[in-house]
Amino acid sequence: MKFFHLSDLHIGLKLLNHDLREDQEYIFHQIADYAGEHRPDAIVIAGDIYDKAIPSAEAVELFDAFVSELSAKAPEAELMMISGNHDSAQRINVFRTILQKRNIHMIGLPPGGEQERIEKVTLTDSFGPVNFYLLPFVKPSMVKQIVGTQENGNALSYNETLHRLIEREELCPQERNVLVSHQFYLPMGSSAEQVERMDSEIRTVGNVDEVKADILERFDYAALGHIHKPMKVGSDAYRYCGTPLACSVSEAGQQKGILEVELGAKGELHTQVLPLHPLREVRMLHGTLQEILGQGSEDYVSILLTDRVDLDVIDMQDRIRSVFPNVLEIRREICRTSDYRVEYTPETEKDVFTLCTEFLQDLDEEEQKLLRDVINSIQEV
């Protein structure tokens, strides 16, 4: 059984106010081409289809074109999608029953009652059935009627909620089982602070949404979404594939791709990354204005200027934008740091010049002469 693992498309995203529609369309064509070439049995999208709960008409149009192209390039593939924390669960859930008849499974809502279970899609190959459990993003309040509450009536933690919800499922241990989920899973023994997160990710205060990854051990593979950087959760079998396109400057330099997963007989697993190449890279540049101007490109760039001399702000911006039409931001490096650790008492016997130089630090000879002239001028007043 071969399937593609994608997540976090974030259709409609703007990168520091730059519309990424053209970039997303370009990367979606690559994904569809891979589907036509590799002919997967299923294509899984593990949440955050859209960047906003109420997507724009243009975002919906782009998603429609993407799904249509996938269906055209890989007509035999089963399409499975869940909602993420950025999506509107109810909107993703629309026409759920009708679409299933067309081999498209868009699951926006988790089980809503005691008699309901996590949506399961079963495919079959020469080794027997493969069961895909499609679990959208879950908040404890959404399923407290099923998993229960604390003694005081408050909702359970994310960790206990997900454990109880998944443990309700009667998985056949002889069959191959795949979980598709959009949550923040932590490897056993790790802390949330050890996981590198991207600037574009929504994070909860105190990381209250973390879920211990031991619950994933019931599955042969876990296709996870939510973390934007490709990451294994303690095993090759439990993975975040990351975003197909950089969603923030903090993702600059990351190699994006699709995870192609092959399940053989029970216990046999092979994965490989199919690389994706963006229309425009996201890059971070560091240097003087003249050094930067010599590196012009169409890429999205975050620029940190190291010039120690004053620059004409308007002229500087115009010159940079003339060679970098997609510049994201221009910042200046702070060349001097002040030492706030030094404490002085009224008894400190140091002159004003010495106090200033120790506070400002690393003044060259010309700067010291200027400082002394300023101090002398003030003292003469």
Side-chain angles (χ1 to χ4, degrees):
M1 181 71 61
K2 179 167 64 178
F3 61 92
F4 283 0
H5 171 193
L6 299 163
S7 77
D8 296 271
L9 306 182
H10 288 280
I11 300 174
L13 173 76
K14 293 186 184 299
L15 180 60
L16 294 182
N17 293 321
H18 284 256
D19 190 341
L20 293 182
R21 173 167 181 148
E22 185 182 13
D23 303 83
Q24 291 182 324
E25 189 174 36
Y26 184 85
I27 219 73
F28 292 163
H29 285 317
Q30 285 187 47
I31 295 171
D33 287 342
Y34 272 131
E37 178 185 350
H38 291 249
R39 294 286 176 170
D41 300 294
I43 299 172
V44 170
I45 302 176
D48 279 355
I49 295 169
Y50 295 111
D51 190 58
K52 298 185 182 304
I54 304 178
S56 66
E58 291 77 14
V60 175
E61 181 182 37
L62 179 55
F63 178 55
D64 175 68
F66 178 44
V67 172
S68 297
E69 188 174 9
L70 284 177
S71 297
K73 294 285 181 68
E76 304 302 320
E78 206 90 6
L79 300 183
M80 307 181 200
M81 294 164 265
I82 61 172
S83 64
N85 57 305
H86 277 256
D87 298 310
S88 165
Q90 289 78 8
R91 286 179 171 82
I92 299 299
N93 216 60
V94 168
F95 306 127
R96 173 170 168 170
T97 304
I98 297 172
L99 290 171
Q100 286 175 341
K101 297 175 183 178
R102 306 291 297 176
N103 297 336
I104 299 176
H105 308 269
M106 291 185 62
I107 312 303
L109 293 169
E114 185 61 37
Q115 303 305 313
E116 296 183 23
R117 292 292 184 270
I118 297 172
E119 184 75 22
K120 182 173 75 170
V121 176
T122 300
L123 305 181
T124 304
D125 63 8
S126 58
F127 296 104
V130 178
N131 304 306
F132 290 83
Y133 289 84
L134 310 182
L135 180 60
F137 177 70
V138 176
K139 291 182 179 179
S141 59
M142 298 166 66
V143 293
K144 64 180 181 181
Q145 294 85 356
I146 300 174
V147 300
T149 61
Q150 298 176 1
E151 291 182 0
N152 58 8
N154 291 338
L156 300 172
S157 67
Y158 275 83
N159 180 60
E160 190 154 13
T161 294
L162 267 296
H163 276 69
R164 290 192 185 186
L165 192 62
I166 293 173
E167 286 166 355
R168 295 171 72 243
E169 302 300 318
E170 298 177 358
L171 275 64
C172 178
Q174 287 75 42
E175 296 177 353
R176 293 160 295 169
N177 299 295
V178 175
L179 176 67
V180 182
S181 179
H182 191 95
Q183 304 285 160
F184 179 28
Y185 290 97
L186 274 177
M188 294 299 293
S190 299
S191 66
E193 289 71 25
Q194 293 174 299
V195 177
E196 185 180 1
R197 307 291 296 275
M198 301 298 103
D199 293 342
S200 52
E201 297 174 31
I202 292 179
R203 312 179 203 185
T204 59
V205 177
N207 296 301
V208 297
D209 59 340
E210 64 185 56
V211 179
K212 290 184 173 59
D214 60 327
I215 192 62
L216 303 179
E217 295 172 3
R218 306 182 72 200
F219 298 91
D220 297 272
Y221 185 81
L224 306 177
H226 191 44
I227 302 298
H228 287 188
K229 181 179 181 179
M231 185 181 92
K232 298 176 184 178
V233 187
S235 166
D236 282 344
Y238 318 129
R239 301 179 68 154
Y240 288 100
C241 61
T243 57
L245 191 69
C247 295
S248 65
V249 173
S250 61
E251 295 175 53
Q254 287 184 12
Q255 175 60 65
K256 301 296 187 178
I258 307 165
L259 271 173
E260 182 182 67
V261 183
E262 288 194 58
L263 295 175
K266 180 75 173 180
E268 295 180 359
L269 171 71
H270 174 72
T271 63
Q272 70 167 330
V273 177
L274 305 178
L276 294 171
H277 304 286
L279 179 63
R280 304 174 184 90
E281 297 279 358
V282 175
R283 299 163 55 204
M284 300 176 69
L285 301 181
H286 178 271
T288 65
L289 178 60
Q290 289 306 315
E291 291 170 341
I292 295 296
L293 292 175
Q295 304 176 55
S297 75
E298 297 285 325
D299 292 335
Y300 295 114
V301 293
S302 169
I303 294 173
L304 179 62
L305 295 174
T306 60
D307 298 82
R308 293 178 64 91
V309 298
D310 289 336
L311 298 171
D312 183 299
V313 174
I314 302 301
D315 176 66
M316 170 192 72
Q317 291 181 344
D318 288 343
R319 293 174 69 188
I320 288 176
R321 287 193 167 89
S322 69
V323 294
F324 291 102
N326 295 305
V327 63
L328 298 173
E329 59 182 355
I330 304 169
R331 296 176 293 125
R332 295 293 302 274
E333 184 177 60
I334 299 175
C335 299
R336 182 183 298 119
T337 59
S338 300
D339 190 355
Y340 295 95
R341 296 169 298 174
V342 180
E343 296 183 4
Y344 296 103
T345 65
E347 292 76 23
T348 302
E349 294 184 2
K350 293 186 179 181
D351 60 68
V352 175
F353 176 77
T354 301
L355 290 173
C356 289
T357 54
E358 288 183 355
F359 180 74
L360 294 172
Q361 298 187 348
D362 302 324
L363 297 178
D364 58 30
E365 186 175 340
E366 184 177 346
E367 290 172 328
Q368 289 186 29
K369 182 178 181 302
L370 177 62
L371 175 63
R372 192 181 296 278
D373 290 342
V374 170
I375 292 172
N376 290 338
S377 298
I378 294 173
Q379 289 177 335
E380 289 173 359
V381 174

